[in-house]
Amino acid sequence: MSTRVPYVQSAASQQVPPPYHFPGVTVNAFYLNVSMAKVQEYCDRYLNIGEEKTRGYVYRPVPFWPYATVLFLDYPTMISSAPASAHLGEVAYSDRGAISQTEVFVAIPVMRYGVGAAKLITDTAVEWALPFIVVGNPMSSVCGREMLGLGKLLADIEIGEGRYPDSFRGKISLPGWPDSETGTMQAQQEFMKVETKPFLPTPTGTQPPRRTLASLLESPEASKLLGGVATAANFIDTFSLGLIPTAMRTVGLKQYRDAANPHRAVYQALVTCRAQYLNVRDVRFYNEKDIDLTFNDLASFHQILEVFLDVGKEPTGKPFSVNTVAGCRFMADINFDTMRIIREFPIDRDGLPPTTGSSDLVARWYRPLRGFFGPRRGVGLP
């Protein structure tokens, strides 16, 4: 009997496997300081599972990028490029139609270090953890959790223009409790809200544009520093500076829980998937001093916020603002592909065959070369 949890494909299933193609996506991105200690706690709880020597890696925050990225994405069309099983007579996924959706997530880069001298070189990679992700489409919510291991939540997401032309306003509402008092009813609660003034340059800002990130990149000093790159747009297209990801490999913990004992997992694996941002265009910067980003520290939301922000031990029940270090809007075509399981954790399951665990941690740069220098990875682990 196989130790893997089987995946059953059905034309009626909402689980659509990658690869996906998303043309013409509008992205509003905001960058804020993140608590590195909180990121390490997240890594230890959700990624560094088991003993370090056995799993063969350790995740840590990226020391040179102490920021969390909050992205609001508007997908006008979502297309699956996954092939259908011809022998089952199924209709190709691309012929089943397309959907649209809105999505908001927090992305934090994490570094995976291989354990040992050799693995430190071949198994080390930068990936992106998504501790918070919400979508406005129920199909995407189900598929993201079951297929990709992303903890997607279904939410009410409002995005659009703010009070001024060329500004932005976004809001997320989730079901939750405002406090922990007995008898309090659950209701739709506002979790996060962001509002900006118009793009730069703008006369309505609260601070001179010369002091903002975008204008600094366009200054002569920055041009010399960047080796002759004259404008912020060209700089983004060439190097990205981490502000606009050209390729983001997500990592998430995919779990199946025992229905009779929810505290016990019957399957656990780390799953990665690549998001490629192609044809990045229409890059516009906001004055970071004109961005009002607010989180609501209610009882149900406090555990989310303490993953990446320095909040108190107890929820305040009030909204609070965070300082952003940059903000921008751009359009891109996004491909979501190359999903693979990099680590299956061994589990001793009561009444079921135990899972032995396996590993495929090789960094993407080394994957084409590993056949020349060592045995194929992905074998069972003790």
Side-chain angles (χ1 to χ4, degrees):
M1 178 179 286
S2 171
T3 61
R4 295 175 180 264
V5 175
Y7 170 68
V8 179
Q9 182 175 330
S10 167
S13 174
Q14 290 186 334
Q15 298 183 34
V16 180
Y20 313 123
H21 177 58
F22 311 137
V25 181
T26 301
V27 182
N28 281 272
F30 306 97
Y31 307 86
L32 57 148
N33 290 299
V34 69
S35 167
M36 302 297 271
K38 295 291 186 181
V39 176
Q40 186 62 65
E41 290 178 9
Y42 176 87
C43 291
D44 291 340
R45 182 171 184 178
Y46 296 102
L47 306 178
N48 296 331
I49 298 175
E51 295 184 1
E52 181 178 311
K53 182 178 180 181
T54 302
R55 66 174 180 263
Y57 67 86
V58 60
Y59 278 94
R60 297 192 182 104
V62 176
F64 54 83
W65 190 254
Y67 308 110
T69 307
V70 180
L71 294 104
F72 284 75
L73 298 95
D74 183 11
Y75 300 90
T77 307
M78 305 179 73
I79 304 169
S80 173
S81 304
S85 298
H87 67 281
L88 298 179
E90 293 185 346
V91 178
Y93 286 104
S94 58
D95 294 336
R96 300 181 191 183
I99 62 173
S100 61
Q101 79 159 13
T102 51
E103 180 178 66
V104 182
F105 61 86
V106 174
I108 303 173
V110 291
M111 182 77 77
R112 187 185 76 227
Y113 297 91
V115 176
K119 293 181 180 179
L120 183 62
I121 298 175
T122 62
D123 294 0
T124 296
V126 176
E127 295 167 341
W128 291 78
L130 276 57
F132 174 77
I133 177 170
V134 293
V135 293
N137 187 293
M139 183 181 297
S140 175
S141 179
V142 171
C143 184
R145 288 196 304 268
E146 300 300 321
M147 293 294 300
L148 308 177
L150 299 176
K152 291 188 176 183
L153 301 174
L154 187 62
D156 289 336
I157 304 173
E158 301 177 21
I159 58 174
E161 195 171 67
R163 291 181 294 172
Y164 304 96
D166 292 329
S167 64
F168 175 76
R169 183 178 184 274
K171 186 174 74 170
I172 302 171
S173 297
L174 291 167
W177 285 270
D179 53 52
S180 56
E181 296 295 328
T182 302
T184 302
M185 296 294 293
Q186 186 185 45
Q188 201 78 349
Q189 309 282 348
E190 181 180 298
F191 170 71
M192 179 175 66
K193 182 171 65 176
V194 61
E195 189 163 1
T196 76
K197 289 187 171 66
F199 302 126
L200 291 170
T202 171
T204 62
T206 58
Q207 182 171 310
R210 172 57 58 187
R211 297 176 59 188
T212 66
L213 174 65
S215 56
L216 286 176
L217 289 177
E218 291 176 333
S219 68
E221 295 81 6
S223 179
K224 293 177 182 178
L225 178 65
L226 302 175
V229 180
T231 66
N234 287 339
F235 178 65
I236 289 296
D237 289 341
T238 307
F239 299 102
S240 85
L241 189 63
L243 292 179
I244 298 177
T246 54
M248 175 186 289
R249 180 168 289 279
T250 64
V251 60
L253 177 61
K254 183 176 180 179
Q255 287 188 331
Y256 293 108
R257 292 283 180 171
D258 187 339
N261 183 8
H263 294 287
R264 180 181 177 86
V266 295
Y267 178 81
Q268 288 191 124
L270 289 187
V271 180
T272 69
C273 204
R274 180 182 62 176
Q276 288 183 298
Y277 288 69
L278 307 173
N279 190 23
V280 176
R281 57 200 183 272
D282 299 332
V283 180
R284 303 292 299 273
F285 282 92
Y286 299 108
N287 185 330
E288 63 270 19
K289 297 298 182 181
D290 293 340
I291 302 170
D292 185 12
L293 180 59
T294 303
F295 293 97
N296 208 1
D297 190 15
L298 300 182
S300 291
F301 304 150
H302 187 76
Q303 287 184 323
I304 301 174
L305 298 177
E306 64 183 359
V307 170
F308 57 93
L309 296 176
D310 276 322
V311 294
K313 293 184 178 181
E314 299 295 331
T316 63
K318 300 177 181 179
F320 69 95
S321 297
V322 297
N323 292 326
T324 55
V325 297
C328 62
R329 190 183 80 175
F330 62 92
M331 292 188 67
D333 302 325
I334 302 177
N335 288 338
F336 207 73
D337 56 17
T338 62
M339 183 181 74
R340 67 187 181 98
I341 296 174
I342 60 173
R343 173 71 166 133
E344 279 189 356
F345 298 98
I347 296 178
D348 184 13
R349 305 181 297 177
D350 294 336
L352 293 172
T355 60
T356 57
S358 63
S359 181
D360 188 16
L361 297 172
V362 176
R364 60 184 177 183
W365 70 267
Y366 183 68
R367 294 179 69 83
L369 305 175
R370 65 178 177 176
F372 293 101
F373 299 103
R376 182 172 179 83
R377 305 293 297 277
V379 298
L381 295 178

